[in-house]
Amino acid sequence: MSKSDASAAKNLPDQAIFTLHDNITGNTHEIPVLEGTDGPRVLDIRKLYGQTGMFTYDPAYTTTASCSSAITFIDGEKGILRHRGYAIQDLAENSDYLEVCYLLLHGELPSPEEKEEFNHSITNHTMLHEQLIHFYRGFRRDAHPMAIMVGVVGALSAFYHDSTDITDPQQRMIASHRLIAKMPTIGAYAYKYSKGQPFIYPSNNLDFAENLLKMMYAVPVAEFEVKPVLARAMDRILILHADHEQNASTSTVRLAGSSGANPFACIAAGIASLWGPAHGGANEAVLMMLNEIGSKERIPEFVNRAKDPDDSYRLMGFGHRVYKNYDPRAKVMRETCHEVLNELGIDDPQLELAMELERITLEDDYFVERKLYPNVDFYSGIILKAMGFPTNMFTVIFAIARTVGWVAHWKEMLSEGTPKIGRPRQMYIGEPERPFAAIGTREHKQSRGWSWLWGNNRKE
């Protein structure tokens, strides 16, 4: 039992035992019950296989606690998201991204002196090794920026050898700071490379969000000034995506870290997981949906399709897999969205279409009764488009924001001692044991249709 498991369980009464009756053998088994600070109790099934010879079956781990953590708490039924006990709404309204980073990494909000020291550390780690910059030239200009992110972040371990010893707490912290600091530079350079524009170095006199926007959009031949409303909007997007408990990419980072992999490799694995459209591509899917709708006049058609039980169509950016009530991040993002659109005064039919879709669904009893409100992805996609981000950069922004969550979970796991390597089990449903047959005695099976791979259509 880890230290956090022990602290979670020690306050439970002795009778906090779940009794499992086996109808096959007639035996009963006592399963300890653990209780965290908040959320449902947890059955400790680590000895279940030894007692019963059976595994549990839980595809996608939807009802399995894979670890204990003190970083983020989510209650999807009540629409709650808290970082270290602080409501996400309070953090987004009253804090800034680097302050949230400090909170996630250290467990407490920083004092003024701690914040200044932390900001200084991050600011002074934003540059990339010059040889690493040349690494970008190995990619095609039309490469997806997430592909570049995976490659460049993974390559950091080849340049920063002084922060790859995962047994050293000091090196773990240096690696954490480097990853948080360099991710905006890596992402912005991926964008600049695709545009054929020169890379813009980070500036120490700008804050985190301002630096990101400058590296994205500045060019050497002109002055660039970051609009405060846009910088604040970017900062809020980063805060609202900083961590989200044990999601697919965070679990990937923890699983990779359990093998003893270096921090840069672990975060590269998280980026690869986030790249999947079912995870990090939700706000991009919102814009694809708006493209499909096309005009305000067609909104009722698609709304009716979403309400038709015989039609599998659904509106992207409405409702949330985790939040069954409302997405607590959406209110802040909605206000920010309208601030950005008012500031820019953009005459964009797609953005007007999005606002009309929002208005209609918020007034429609079908969506209101089912609590299918616009979520954070709906508004963040609109904001990023209004600010000039191409859709293939949306997930990059997500990765930049989520880096602190990944490193916080990675650091938390290692702080408890050498982790036990992750090794999920399976229910095997393949062929039972069978004898080997020599090739001359095997029956001909139907072609699997692979010939096209090696015919005239073969590609590099």
Side-chain angles (χ1 to χ4, degrees), residues 246-295:
Q246 304 306 318
N247 51 79
S249 57
T250 300
S251 297
T252 298
V253 170
R254 278 184 173 265
L255 192 61
S258 75
S259 73
N262 71 73
F264 307 108
C266 294
I267 301 308
I271 294 170
S273 177
L274 184 72
W275 191 0
H279 187 7
N283 48 15
E284 185 174 349
V286 170
L287 293 194
M288 293 174 62
M289 173 194 70
L290 295 176
N291 283 333
E292 183 183 7
I293 295 175
S295 66

Side-chain angles (χ1 to χ4, degrees), residues 143-217:
H144 196 289
M146 286 294 282
I148 297 175
M149 291 279 282
V150 171
V152 175
V153 173
L156 289 176
S157 60
F159 290 84
Y160 300 104
H161 304 295
D162 62 340
S163 54
T164 56
D165 182 358
I166 65 172
T167 65
D168 184 345
Q170 181 69 15
Q171 290 199 30
R172 292 202 298 263
M173 188 58 72
I174 292 173
S176 300
H177 286 203
R178 278 180 170 155
L179 282 160
I180 294 168
K182 296 181 189 304
M183 202 65 73
T185 311
I186 293 170
Y189 284 9
Y191 172 72
K192 285 295 193 184
Y193 183 74
S194 71
K195 301 289 286 185
Q197 294 181 359
F199 295 154
I200 302 298
Y201 288 104
S203 301
N204 285 0
N205 63 325
L206 298 179
D207 68 24
F208 196 89
E210 291 171 340
N211 240 329
L212 174 57
L213 293 174
K214 179 185 177 182
M215 289 189 291
M216 280 283 299
Y217 296 122

